[in-house]
Amino acid sequence: MANIPILTLITLSPLLGILILLFTPANKNRLIKTIGIATTFIPFILVIWMFLAYDYSEKGVAFEENLRWIHMPLNTEAYQGQVSSYFIQFNYHLAMDGISLLLVLLTAIVGVMAAFASVHIKKRWKTYFILFLLLEVGMFGVFMARDLFLFFLFFEVTLVATYFLIGIWGYVGREKAANKFLIYNGLGSALMLIAFTLLIATAGFQVDQSVAGQTHLSYSGDLATILQNLIQPSESSVVLSAGMQKTIFILLLVAFGIKLPIFPFHTWMLKVHNEAPPAVVMIHSGVLLKMGAYGLIRFGLFLFPQQTESWATVLAILGVINIIYGAVLALVQKEFKLVLAYSSISHMGVVLLGLSALNEIGLKGAMFQMISHGLISALFFLLVGSLYERTHTTRLDELGGLARSMPFMSGILLIAGLASLGLPGLSGFVGEFLSFLGLFSEMKVIAVVGTLGIILGAVYVLRGVLGITYGPMEDRYIGIRDARLIEAIPMMALTAFIVLLGVYPTIIIDPLQHSFEQFLQLIKVGG
Amino acid sequence: MESVYSQYAWVVPIFPMLAFLVLTALGRQMKEVGVWISIVCTFASFIYALLIFIERVGSNVEDYTKGMDWIRFGGVHLSVGFEVTNLNALMLVIVTFVSLLVNIYSRGYMKGDERITVFFAYVSLFTFSMLGLVISSNMLELYIFWELVGVCSFLLVGFWYQKPAAKAAAKKAFIVTRIGDVGLFIAILLLYVYMPEHALDFASIHNVFTQPDALAAAGIGAGVTTLIGILIFVGAIGKSGQFPLHTWLPDAMEGPTPISALIHAATMVAAGVYLVARTFDVFHASPDAMQVVAYVGGFTAIFAATIGIAQNDIKRILAYSTVSQLGYMMMAIGVGSVTAGMFHLFTHAFFKALLFLGAGSVIHMIHQQDIHQMGGLGKKMKVTAWTFGIGALALSGIPPFSGFWSKDAVLAAAWEGHKGLFVVGIIAAFFTAFYMSRLFFLVFTGKPVTAAKDVHESPPTMTIPLVILAVLAVVSGFVYTPFNSWFGTWLEGTETVEHANYAVMAISTIVGLLGIGLGWLIYRKHAISSEAIAGKLPWLTKLLANKYYIDELYHAIIVTPLRAIGGALAAFDQWVIDGIVRGVASLTLLTGRASTRMQNGQVQTYGLITLLGCVLLIVAIVGRRLW
């Protein structure tokens, strides 16, 4: 496996499907769907293979690919010959550690399931699947990139692809939703770009005097270099003032906070949940939101442990606000998709809680919660898609008693709901429990306030799920049929993953063995 | 002595799990086969539980524990495992036995329901979870199964999901117990933080909380101990329907009646009592927590008994009775006698399951739950009437039925040092006897009122469990009497000196007979008119019939405000938070439009702007100089 550029293969494998699709006639609906779905299996199989080959006991990064990509010489005249070279360099640097592995795995799983859910797409299948696969490339890239510039590039790819996917194939208000999505996320990207530029210009600066008589000056976007300069500065590295560190940290916090989303930057994602096609929401809620948490961990926490520490209480409070605010609002929504949207806000609050604990339990709990929420919300929107096909509405006051005409889907919906409200034995519980356990060791009162979310979670989930499936059924729904096989397969697969993680959580906790070691050591030293 | 069967105690819950998986895979086909799979698996569980129990009845059997890591990283070890002690060996037998009888009974009761396999799958899942709860070796694992039994209860209460009342009751059952669960959840967090090596297993809890030195070494002060105890008890309050979280249990009667017998009388609702007994060392270390348990239990006992008097739904009367009896158990543990509490749990499981199944037999026949619409059923349903009568006598605490001995044990425990609670218990016992005789006489004697024709006895698959339970309702009390302290000795591991308290026995018997006598006078002889009493105290009748308006109160102080807050926040979210976003967006747009204006191609405008810009620049530069 060592000789195969597995990371590149995974990242770029959806391009193969795009290539084939380009030469497929646009009116061959079935063929296009088959190609689309089949393509998502390639990275899925590769990731599973890598997951099995991943050696947890090995320290840190297990797979890595690093190539010089952009090399831009700068004017050396000012140095009057004292330096041999002066340049900016961006690398094509992909790497895989435990954190990336889990998120890539999530992306691959949700990718396949969302491709199945795309059978409900009604028009322009070719363009749809091309953009869909492009989105997948972007997501893989985001989670593997170890160069700021490369990361930014992949991040923007996901934005563009999602923008079109919402704007063209969404429901009635799709264009407004897409615009809002783009403007809001564009703002986040701008802040991220400023933060990245500042980082490259300061911590990315390197003086290389390894060869005698030669001095190489460079600005690098390489994450490893930046991390090194920030946490173990050598004599020649630029030292960031506390104010500068704080500025960059806040920029990153807001940039990724929009994506996560952290209250009060959440309103854009409500529209997306409500207006985007369910297959896209599966990816959006399942994976794209995790890019916010991932960015926060990778760049916020890891690069600025001391800043993180001084902001921990704020993060915890923001987390609790997310949990309760999301839960209370989920409680009064009349549209099931919005119940789910606010529930995502609430669940992302649990991620924040776990992160702000700054201990091993909390951090791993937060990671677990991310994966678990990804699977659960993917399952929810898979169901929403199939439901809408049959009822043409997902408003709670227009539904009810559907367990009678579609017992299978109602059963799966109930399982998704129970997982979402944190029933032990399903994945939601583990993430929630570990996050609360982690935080409780550090900030008892905040954690206890957060547990209110556990009660409220039960209330809004049962209100939503039972509102659809229990009670008397209206006559107009008598004729509707239960899930077709092509719909049932991804439902069962996602349910199986949710049960697996709930019963045997170690399977995704083990890969995280060394992921937070360095960070926790720095916190300990600093604290 | 070497334990042989205990080593494989995990197979006890495995059988029903298998049944659940097979039934789920089967779907709705093969109804009869599905039912038998469930019955056979539960039977296998019962036999194995019995083997363990018999093994442990032999003297000096060591407790057996085995566990493995569930989540492990760094210094964190969260394990799952099982433990066999006398306490949970007893519970294993109770749970598998009642579950087996309910399985057999449901074969008749649920006959013809198109979702009968789903029903049996849920029952199997419940049995699995309940058994898992019982043999859990640590708090986290117990919590896991604790939630699972809760969800099974929810599923079965809402089994007839099309009925709006069932839907509401299922939701309420889940949410109200969840409030209690969060208490237990926080208790576990506290234990994790404070226990040495973050141990959550019962053996470690026992070791730490029984030794003051160990407590001090772990830094667990009196306050923390009390807090942990009370939080655990909050969990038990939710599950065991104690005041103030009792409101879900009577509503849960919307579920099929066999479920009420199994889950809401004999097993799951007793889990709260079991939990307090299991973690008794924590309570023992905190007198304050003990007081809370004792008084909440005592209050619930009398509070629910008074409501039971004024209800007209046969199942709701029994439900309030269950709440009340669970209060007795809590009270017993609270005043320090785990044995009395567990003993009452043991006998109650049989006679209350019997009463519910008897009620189910009646409901099955006449499709009616209002006791005023029954009457005279005794003649046509002899087995049901006789067995129900035995159950009612046991519940009323009439010697020599089992309930007498266990209630006596509870009252005797209260007598020592808690005279106030003793009086409460006695009064509640009077009400208990009264509402049971009212129920019995109205349903089984007098003139038939029901409109249902062709009333006859239920099929054997339903009456056989009734007879078996009736036998147990008579004899199960003899394991622990003032003349035979075997149960107490065996359970507590030490010789309990239980000298007969004849005064207590006499008082409780007399009170029980008085209650029955009053019921007989009013509802059988009609010597006293119940309407006349109600007419004299209209406010009291109304208060009791409306269950002290607790539901209305909760609605007013919790549900309505929560909805209002939700509505207000929704408006805030839409108009303020998103309003700001929209404002910023339109501001950007306006700026854009304004700047487009500047580029209108007219040289004059450009000149003007340039001039303005220059002036601003000059002002800025000069201004900075002046500073």
Side-chain angles (χ1 to χ4, degrees), chain B residues 44-60:
Chain B
S45 271
F46 169 62
I47 293 298
Y48 201 86
L50 208 58
L51 287 174
I52 294 172
F53 182 75
I54 292 167
E55 178 181 72
R56 296 201 64 85
V57 169
S59 54
N60 296 330

Side-chain angles (χ1 to χ4, degrees), chain B residues 325-349:
Chain B
Q325 298 303 309
L326 290 165
Y328 271 103
M329 300 173 205
M330 288 295 186
M331 185 172 88
I333 299 181
V335 299
S337 176
V338 174
T339 307
M342 286 304 295
F343 183 39
H344 199 50
L345 188 159
F346 174 69
T347 60
H348 178 260

Side-chain angles (χ1 to χ4, degrees), chain A residues 180 184 264 266-267 270 325 328-329 331-332 342 360-361 364 403-404 407 414 418 421-424 429-430 433 437 440 454-455 458-459 462 466 470-472 502-503 505-506 509, chain B residues 28 70-71 73-74 76 78 140 143-144 147-148 151 154-155 158 161-162 164 167 171 174-175 178-179 182 185-186 189-190 192-193 562-563 566-567 569-570 572-573 577-578 581:
Chain A
K180 195 162 186 175
Y184 223 128
H266 62 275
T267 51
L270 303 172
Y325 189 83
V328 172
L329 278 166
L331 210 57
V332 293
Y342 280 109
E360 202 177 358
I361 305 180
K364 288 183 176 171
R404 204 170 114 205
L414 189 60
L418 293 175
L421 62 77
L423 182 78
F429 171 70
V430 184
F433 178 71
L437 193 61
F440 191 77
I454 298 180
I455 300 172
V459 182
L462 292 185
L466 300 197
Y470 278 46
V503 175
T506 308
I509 293 178
Chain B
R28 295 183 186 185
W70 183 51
I71 298 177
F73 51 77
V76 183
L78 300 171
L140 175 62
Y143 181 81
I144 291 172
E147 291 289 288
L148 287 179
V151 90
F154 155 82
L155 289 170
Y161 61 87
Q162 288 166 337
K167 173 185 165 187
K171 217 158 97 177
F174 196 92
I175 291 166
R178 196 132 234 246
I179 296 171
V182 168
F185 186 83
I186 299 172
L189 299 183
L190 269 172
Y192 182 85
V193 171
L562 190 59
R563 279 211 192 115
L569 277 185
F572 172 77
D573 201 54
I577 304 276
D578 203 42
V581 175

